[in-house]
Amino acid sequence: MTSSGRGVLVTGGSRGVGAATARAFAERGDRVVVHYRGAEERAREVLAHLPGEGHAVLQADLADPAATARLAEAAVQALGRVDVLVNNAALFLDPAGGVSRRGDHRLTDTDYDGWVRAWQTTLATNLMGPANLTFCVARHMMEVAPADGQPVGRVVNVGSRGAYRGEPDVPAYGASKAGLHAFGQSMAVALAPHGIGVVSIAPGFIATEMAAALLDGPGGDQIRGQSPFGRVATPEEVATAIVALAQPGAEWASGAVVDFNGASHLR
């Protein structure tokens, strides 16, 4: 294990890919802020099991621009400098506007009010949240010099295969991830002159706790069969890829959208 002591902000760090990513960075000697929206107990449990020192847990609703700006400020205070931002937080919404396991809002099965709520809330969290947080953190990266030998900054966006494959049951989710990919490419061009690399990863299905009902249900074999490997990714595999894309030597990946779906969807 190497030790760089970088400051890392991971959004949506209370479970799944976010929790695995927080652990992966901490295991290499980095200091991590674990962000959560509502699952404080889960986030603090993740924090308690991170190796090393200098970690913190912070709450914010990324759909709220003011709260997002406060999160960036608090992360800087906790870490001294944010060297890596991982935009991982995302959600599905049901037509009533609440968080659900699938959050279906298929056009043929949802009323107009539910359709509008699903789109507004999904885009506010999944696209505007990362855009606003990236603005705040990137400005900080440009204003505060990194430690000797470290890159100015890295931003890794966690997108989705659904941006390309299509999400008929959750179209707002698929569109939000497509927007996140495009946003990341725009920022890669805008921020490269300042020494900041921006890359996105587009995972397929992941064996998270929230996906367990689907994977254990009657459609589980079909989902696993989408990949010629006959399985889905683990959160730890996705986390390993995120950490690799944020490494000091990974600058030339900036602007890429990295497919990470076990050959389940080929563009």
Side-chain angles (χ1 to χ4, degrees):
M1 179 179 65
T2 60
S3 177
S4 69
R6 295 181 301 173
V8 182
L9 170 55
V10 179
T11 67
S14 64
R15 66 185 71 201
V17 170
T21 300
R23 287 191 297 271
F25 276 108
E27 285 170 355
R28 71 176 302 282
D30 293 323
R31 294 163 291 110
V32 181
V33 163
V34 178
H35 157 265
Y36 71 96
R37 183 178 69 94
E40 180 177 2
E41 185 175 345
R42 295 289 297 268
R44 294 196 177 280
E45 183 178 354
V46 171
L47 179 71
H49 290 89
L50 293 182
E53 299 178 345
H55 311 303
V57 61
L58 293 173
Q59 188 276 338
D61 181 354
L62 296 180
D64 180 343
T68 301
R70 290 194 296 269
L71 170 64
E73 294 173 1
V76 170
Q77 292 179 355
L79 298 173
R81 186 181 195 275
V82 177
D83 301 292
V84 178
L85 168 62
V86 180
N87 285 314
N88 167 71
L91 50 77
F92 289 94
L93 289 181
D94 62 27
V99 176
S100 74
R101 288 188 178 275
R102 280 296 302 167
D104 293 0
H105 49 277
R106 184 180 281 269
L107 185 146
T108 53
D109 301 327
T110 304
D111 64 29
Y112 182 66
D113 288 343
W115 172 267
V116 170
R117 281 195 298 271
W119 278 86
Q120 288 178 334
T121 310
T122 300
L123 293 178
T125 297
N126 294 8
L127 182 56
M128 289 306 303
N132 293 337
L133 187 58
T134 299
F135 176 93
C136 296
V137 173
R139 292 288 287 263
H140 156 75
M141 289 174 175
M142 289 186 279
E143 293 168 0
V144 179
D148 290 344
Q150 291 290 355
V152 175
R154 292 285 184 268
V155 179
V156 182
N157 299 316
V158 180
S160 173
R161 171 190 73 171
Y164 306 110
R165 185 173 179 264
E167 294 285 1
D169 293 333
V170 283
Y173 179 83
S176 72
K177 292 301 188 177
L180 184 62
H181 295 169
F183 168 72
Q185 292 182 316
S186 295
M187 290 300 98
V189 176
L191 296 176
H194 303 280
I196 300 171
V198 184
V199 65
S200 300
I201 183 171
F205 222 95
I206 307 168
T208 62
E209 180 182 323
M210 292 188 69
L214 290 173
L215 292 173
D216 295 340
D221 287 342
Q222 188 276 331
I223 293 171
R224 286 182 284 272
Q226 293 173 6
S227 167
F229 289 101
R231 66 177 182 86
V232 301
T234 67
E236 290 73 22
E237 286 176 312
V238 182
T240 297
I242 291 170
V243 171
L245 291 169
Q247 291 306 299
E251 181 171 82
W252 229 237
S254 190
V257 180
V258 179
D259 289 327
F260 198 80
N261 61 56
S264 65
H265 181 72
L266 302 178
R267 292 190 280 143

